[in-house]
């Protein structure tokens, strides 16, 4: 918010959208305590009771994830328990299985009955973390790649209107501003990492076509 106000200014009432954040998939209500409690402790606004409860929760989450990660299951092992999975020969652990939308924590009890000792709220948090893990890793890689490519020049003739995946509002702003680089495009109000990735992909596609 501070960066927006000091570098972009405001032409209308300021609104904050998680969709415009680089790591937006991590900005979830269910993990707010994991993201903010350590900061709160550093600033001295989290009491001892709250800090102790948070530490206990994180220890339970870590223990649960460790136990799930220790599982090593073949596709045949998984299929024998009634879960549908590709018979690709790849062994998977419990966290890998939880990343599948149709696999719940209770399904894993068939592989390790002692998982039933994990509290329901801890199960739910582990399941959500596992479900988002691959998407967050992909998003992190996209952001890192985008930061490396911020100096990439945008051709003067680039047609934003022909790029599907951008909102009409953003297309109009880009057409008007005509940024010279991806870094400049990133400063336009409403620009998202996903939109910048689309622009970069189209630029590279055009470069490959011209060099062919």
């Amino acid at each position: 918010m501070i960066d927006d106000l000091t570098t972009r200014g405001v032409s209308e009432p300021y609104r904050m959208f998680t969709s415009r954040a680089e790591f937006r998939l991590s900005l979830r209500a269910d993990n707010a305590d994991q993201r903010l409690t350590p900061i709160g402790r550093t600033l001295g606004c989290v009491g001892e009771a709250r800090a102790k409860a948070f530490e206990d929760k994180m220890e339970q989450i870590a223990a649960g994830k460790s136990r799930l990660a220790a599982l090593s299951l073949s596709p045949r092992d998984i299929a024998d328990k009634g879960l549908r999975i590709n018979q690709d020969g790849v062994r998977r652990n419990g966290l890998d299985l939880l990343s599948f939308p149709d696999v719940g924590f209770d399904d894993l009890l068939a592989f390790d009955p002692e998982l039933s000792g994990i509290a329901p709220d801890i199960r739910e948090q582990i399941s959500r973390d596992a479900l988002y893990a691959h998407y967050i890793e992909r998003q992190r890689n996209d952001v890192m790649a985008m930061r490396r490519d911020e100096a990439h020049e945008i051709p003067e003739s680039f047609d934003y209107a022909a790029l599907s995946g951008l909102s009409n509002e953003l297309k109009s702003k880009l057409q008007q501003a005509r940024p010279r680089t991806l870094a400049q495009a990133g400063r336009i109000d409403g620009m998202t990492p996903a939109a910048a990735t689309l622009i970069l992909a189209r630029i590279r596609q055009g470069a490959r076509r011209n060099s062919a």
Side-chain angles (χ1 to χ4, degrees):
M1 179 181 70
I2 294 174
D3 180 66
D4 282 353
L5 294 176
T6 56
T7 60
R8 303 183 184 186
V10 288
S11 57
E12 58 184 38
Y14 186 80
R15 296 168 294 170
M16 294 182 67
F17 298 104
T18 54
S19 63
R20 296 181 183 178
E22 289 179 315
F23 298 101
R24 58 196 177 282
L25 293 180
S26 299
L27 302 180
R28 310 191 310 271
D30 67 274
N31 68 3
D33 59 340
Q34 297 181 60
R35 293 183 288 107
L36 302 178
T37 301
I39 298 175
R41 293 185 66 180
T42 301
L43 297 175
C45 57
V46 173
E48 289 300 320
R50 173 61 183 156
K52 180 62 168 61
F54 175 72
E55 290 176 359
D56 290 343
K57 176 181 178 179
M58 295 308 297
E59 288 176 0
Q60 293 181 61
I61 290 176
K65 288 183 176 180
S66 178
R67 191 171 190 91
L68 289 169
L71 293 174
S72 180
L73 307 167
S74 69
R76 176 61 62 85
D77 295 331
I78 298 168
D80 287 345
K81 298 300 183 181
L83 299 180
R84 298 175 57 186
I85 193 169
N86 291 334
Q87 297 299 307
D88 52 11
V90 176
R91 300 188 71 85
R92 293 175 172 84
N93 61 37
L95 293 173
D96 293 330
L97 291 180
L98 282 177
S99 69
F100 290 88
D102 56 346
V103 176
F105 201 98
D106 289 344
D107 295 319
L108 303 184
L109 300 182
F111 304 105
D112 184 357
E114 292 190 16
L115 291 171
S116 61
I118 298 177
D121 60 322
I122 301 300
R123 294 189 195 186
E124 184 174 0
Q125 188 63 63
I126 291 175
S127 297
R128 288 177 177 172
D129 288 348
L131 182 62
Y132 282 99
H134 295 308
Y135 298 105
I136 290 175
E137 180 62 25
R138 185 186 308 165
Q139 179 178 264
R140 182 180 294 110
N141 292 335
D142 287 343
V143 170
M144 291 176 63
M146 182 54 61
R147 287 177 177 171
R148 291 194 300 267
D149 294 318
E150 282 186 337
H152 206 105
E153 293 187 359
I154 302 175
E156 293 184 7
S157 60
F158 191 89
D159 186 5
Y160 297 100
L163 186 57
S164 61
L166 300 182
S167 68
N168 290 332
E169 179 185 3
L170 184 55
K171 288 179 181 179
S172 176
K173 290 179 178 179
L174 288 166
Q175 291 280 35
Q176 181 176 2
R178 304 304 306 180
R180 298 181 61 185
T181 66
L182 284 175
Q184 291 180 7
R187 313 307 288 178
I188 293 175
D189 187 38
M191 191 67 176
T192 67
T197 300
L198 286 174
I199 294 173
L200 178 59
R202 178 59 62 87
I203 293 173
R204 287 175 170 169
Q205 183 182 50
R208 289 194 298 269
R209 186 164 50 244
N210 292 335
S211 62

